[in-house]
Structures are given as structure tokens and as C-alpha cells.
Amino acid sequence: MAEKESSPSETSLISNKEETPNGNTFDFKKGVKNLFETSPHMKKLPPEFVLQLDKNPLTSTLAEIPVIDLSGLNCPSEIRTSTVKAISSACELWGFFRITNHGIKMSLIEEMLGVAQEFFDLNLSEKMKYASEDVMSPVRYGTSLNTSKKHNLHWRDYFRHYGHPFQHSFHLWPVNPPKYRNVAKEYLEEIWQLAMKLGGAISEGLGLENGYIEKSMGEGLQILAANYYPPCPEPDKTLGLAAHSDHGGLTILMQNGVDGLQIKHNGEWFSVQHVPGTFLVNIGDYLEEASRGIFVR
């Protein structure tokens, strides 16, 4: 539910309100979903969304990233060792890998996707209760880039909130949709355990003491980020999300059947196809530092 794509120019400045191609004045802070729904006959992007791209993002080659069967971590030592080596190799050569047999039920994944969609389908006034310019806000709805700096706009809306440790933020999560809190908490608990399992394998692969990565993160901070990308009238001229690295340790990404994710490998951008029932894992800035630069991001 996130994208890594080619980097835009960040030269044009925007105001809060601009005129859409149909002549209406639109407050871009309301998000691209609202823009799309209130301008159903839009054929061209508003100029604020047009980015100076080095290449057409729709022409990127499909990546063949490593696929790792995570059940190998529960197998006898020889198979476990092979799985740990595969994870380390993927982190070193790609910074990305896809995992199968991760232990999280498809029914829970589908429920999480469902309540996220229900949140974005709420009326605008309900979603705007969570709008904030504070990038450190524990619950935040917004659009475009996740920054208050003036920039070219990007074709996405997002909803973010803290997860583990739950006692600090659970009471701030949305009460609408009605099932959101319970489903998100169960999902994030499962994802946290998966992250700890991966952290253990990464520690082992780096030759560190048992549990080093998990211990070094302490109590840790988990963030759920849901991105919404409405249909785009000119997808070759904009991006859902600019090129970036993730600041944390691990990102465990659930895709929803809509292709568009891109990753950078050896200086070139590749598209990553959605594979049902799997997660895409990528390392963040913290793990690159913890590996002393052995891992790439």
C-alpha cells in the first residue's frame, strides 16, 4: 500500500486553492480522491500534479526480486540456515524481497484492506477530523507528500497512525469504520511478530548476537500507512509517491492488486508486480546503518 518511484522536480510552489480544468476552485488539501470524484470528466491533470520526470514511469521493466519461503525459518537447521542466507543476500543485493508462507491469514489481510478502503470511502468531513500539518501526529490523514514543505503535488491520499506499543495511540484511532480499531490492532500485532521474526533472521545473517536487531530497537515504534491512489487521467505525467527511503527498520508492504510500485536497483527503476498472498519487505535507513552499510536500501 505504498510506492517507490522516480523522483520529481520540487520547484513549483502551490497555494491551498487552485482552479481545476472544469473551472471550479478546489482545495487540494481535501485530497485527490475528492478531486477525482468532484471532477468526474477530468481528462488532463491539474498543472500542480504534473512532474518533470526523467522517464515515463509506465515503461519500467518488471523486476524479478528474490522470493523467500519464510516457513524455512521453522525447519531443521540446514533449511533454516539456507533461508537466513537467502534473506541476507536479498538485503545485500536488493534491499527488497518478497515473502511467502509468512503465517498471516489471508482473511485478516483482506479484512485490513477492507477497513482501509472503508476509511477512504468515508465522507470528507469525517476524514478531515484526522488532517494535520504535524508530521509527528500519531494519527494523520493527508494527501500528496508526507511533508509540510511546499512541493509539486502527488497523486495519492494517505492515512497513517502509530501501532505497537498500542497503549500510546490506540484510543486515538478512528471509531469509523466501526470495525477499524479491532481489525487494525489484530493485523498490526501479527505484523509486529512477523517483523521480530525477520529481525532475528537478519541478526543471525549478519553474524550478530541472537536478537540483536530486536533488542537494539527497544520498545520500537510501528506505523501503519495506507495509501489511496484514485484513477489518474494522465498516469505518465505524475507519481503516486516520490522516490524515497524508509526511515525505520523494516517495511512490510501489503499490495492490493493494483500494480504501480517501483523500486530502484543498480541505478535503474523497476516495476514490482502484485502477487496475492505475499508481502514485500524492504529495509530502511536504520537497518542499513545497523549492518554497517552491508545492506542496501
Side-chain angles (χ1 to χ4, degrees):
M1 299 171 73
E3 296 195 11
K4 288 200 170 187
E5 297 179 313
S6 49
S7 179
S9 164
E10 293 194 355
T11 56
S12 71
L13 300 181
I14 63 168
S15 62
N16 292 342
K17 294 186 177 181
E18 299 290 345
E19 191 173 271
T20 63
N22 62 12
N24 295 328
T25 299
F26 185 80
D27 184 352
F28 286 123
K29 287 189 176 182
K30 294 178 179 179
V32 290
K33 186 175 188 290
N34 186 57
L35 172 61
F36 178 77
E37 291 174 348
T38 54
S39 306
H41 303 297
M42 183 189 298
K43 300 297 182 184
K44 286 185 170 293
L45 282 171
E48 291 77 16
F49 289 93
V50 177
L51 306 176
Q52 300 300 314
L53 304 176
D54 294 332
K55 63 177 290 187
N56 184 342
L58 303 180
T59 63
S60 296
T61 305
L62 192 65
E64 296 184 7
I65 62 173
V67 179
I68 298 172
D69 183 345
L70 219 59
S71 66
L73 295 179
N74 302 321
C75 292
S77 58
E78 185 175 333
I79 298 175
R80 177 182 168 81
T81 299
S82 176
T83 304
V84 167
K85 287 182 178 178
I87 292 172
S88 292
S89 176
C91 290
E92 183 176 348
L93 299 177
W94 282 84
F96 298 86
F97 54 95
R98 189 179 300 283
I99 55 174
T100 63
N101 293 319
H102 42 70
I104 298 181
K105 295 178 181 178
M106 272 302 300
S107 57
L108 180 57
I109 293 172
E110 290 168 356
E111 279 189 289
M112 187 64 240
L113 282 171
V115 294
Q117 179 68 57
E118 287 175 19
F119 175 84
F120 286 112
D121 287 341
L122 292 172
N123 62 61
L124 184 61
S125 61
E126 185 72 17
K127 290 183 290 190
M128 292 298 287
K129 292 177 181 178
Y130 305 98
S132 172
E133 293 291 333
D134 179 8
V135 296
M136 300 303 292
S137 177
V139 180
R140 188 180 185 208
Y141 167 74
T143 188
S144 196
L145 286 176
N146 189 21
T147 175
S148 58
K149 180 182 177 182
K150 297 223 175 201
H151 52 73
N152 291 81
L153 295 177
H154 294 77
W155 198 256
R156 73 145 182 175
D157 296 336
Y158 64 84
F159 180 59
R160 296 162 52 92
H161 63 75
Y162 294 170
H164 177 94
F166 300 105
Q167 66 269 24
H168 301 317
S169 64
F170 180 77
H171 63 288
L172 301 173
W173 297 4
V175 292
N176 284 317
K179 293 182 179 179
Y180 186 89
R181 285 188 177 184
N182 289 338
V183 171
K185 187 171 187 290
E186 182 181 357
Y187 175 77
L188 288 171
E189 286 173 338
E190 293 288 324
I191 289 292
W192 183 261
Q193 293 304 315
L194 176 58
M196 293 301 100
K197 188 173 188 176
L198 288 166
I202 290 169
S203 295
E204 188 176 333
L206 286 169
L208 301 172
E209 65 179 86
N210 185 41
Y212 175 86
I213 295 296
E214 306 97 292
K215 292 173 186 175
S216 69
M217 290 191 290
E219 190 177 36
L221 175 62
Q222 183 184 36
I223 299 175
L224 182 146
N227 292 321
Y228 185 93
Y229 308 100
C232 182
E234 296 182 289
D236 59 325
K237 295 182 179 180
T238 192
L239 298 172
L241 187 57
H244 65 282
S245 63
D246 293 336
H247 298 309
L250 284 173
T251 296
I252 300 175
L253 177 65
M254 177 212 302
Q255 294 170 273
N256 67 346
V258 178
D259 292 328
L261 175 70
Q262 294 186 349
I263 65 173
K264 197 171 189 179
H265 177 61
N266 291 336
E268 184 177 350
W269 288 97
F270 291 88
S271 295
V272 179
Q273 192 172 26
H274 165 66
V275 179
T278 70
F279 289 107
L280 185 72
V281 179
N282 69 270
I283 66 168
D285 299 345
Y286 171 77
L287 274 184
E288 184 184 35
E289 293 294 327
S291 73
R292 297 187 175 90
I294 294 174
F295 294 166
V296 299
R297 52 166 170 75

